[in-house]
Amino acid sequence: MSCPCENNSTPLSYPFLINQGATFEATIFWQLQDSPTVAPVAVDLTGYTASMVATRNTANCCDSSVTPLFTLTTANGGIVLGTTNGRIDLLILAAATTLYHAGAYVYQLDLTAPDGITVTRLLSGIVNVSPAIST
């Protein structure tokens, strides 16, 4: 998935599907596009950190009173950032998705700039967990 965003834009809404009991992998490329007539340019993610949180709470997906479905970060290995190519890789192992309850959740993906202050909410939206068929 390519994410051509304008500077200071609102996050894109993008749905994800997680199959219960299967490994979830997704790759996103963050690109900036100043005008429709200019080709998008990859964001240099050198020094950035990232986090992605999903929860059932539709009012605020970062409400600390709600247990998240998952929390992926660059620190825990759930998110791996490229450097000058703007690549963002997401990973949830099958052992974890096996424990997820089927249903719809909300998520947000935030990237923190090397200054440790500037946070960009790149994506937000719905994560659907599809149930596995019992055997």
Side-chain angles (χ1 to χ4, degrees):
M1 170 191 166
S2 182
C3 182
C5 304
E6 294 178 15
N7 291 326
N8 299 319
S9 67
T10 58
L12 290 176
S13 178
Y14 186 83
F16 285 107
L17 174 66
I18 296 175
N19 292 303
Q20 189 181 49
T23 300
F24 170 78
E25 296 178 283
T27 299
I28 301 157
F29 288 91
W30 185 12
Q31 301 173 334
L32 295 177
Q33 186 170 16
D34 290 329
S35 83
T37 58
V38 177
V41 176
V43 174
D44 183 351
L45 297 177
T46 303
Y48 272 75
T49 59
S51 67
M52 182 176 179
V53 177
T55 183
R56 279 205 188 269
N57 182 353
T58 58
N60 178 359
C61 76
C62 285
D63 184 343
S64 62
S65 67
V66 177
T67 302
L69 173 67
F70 62 77
T71 300
L72 306 178
T73 66
T74 46
N76 71 18
I79 301 176
V80 176
L81 301 178
T83 53
T84 59
N85 62 359
R87 183 179 176 135
I88 304 164
D89 291 313
L90 309 175
L91 174 66
I92 306 172
L93 299 177
T97 68
T98 297
L99 304 175
Y100 295 173
H101 294 285
Y105 300 81
V106 294
Y107 80 90
Q108 65 188 41
L109 172 63
D110 294 336
L111 282 94
T112 302
D115 64 12
I117 298 168
T118 307
V119 177
T120 300
R121 177 141 314 133
L122 190 62
L123 295 174
S124 64
I126 302 295
V127 173
N128 284 300
V129 177
S130 176
I133 298 172
S134 298
T135 55

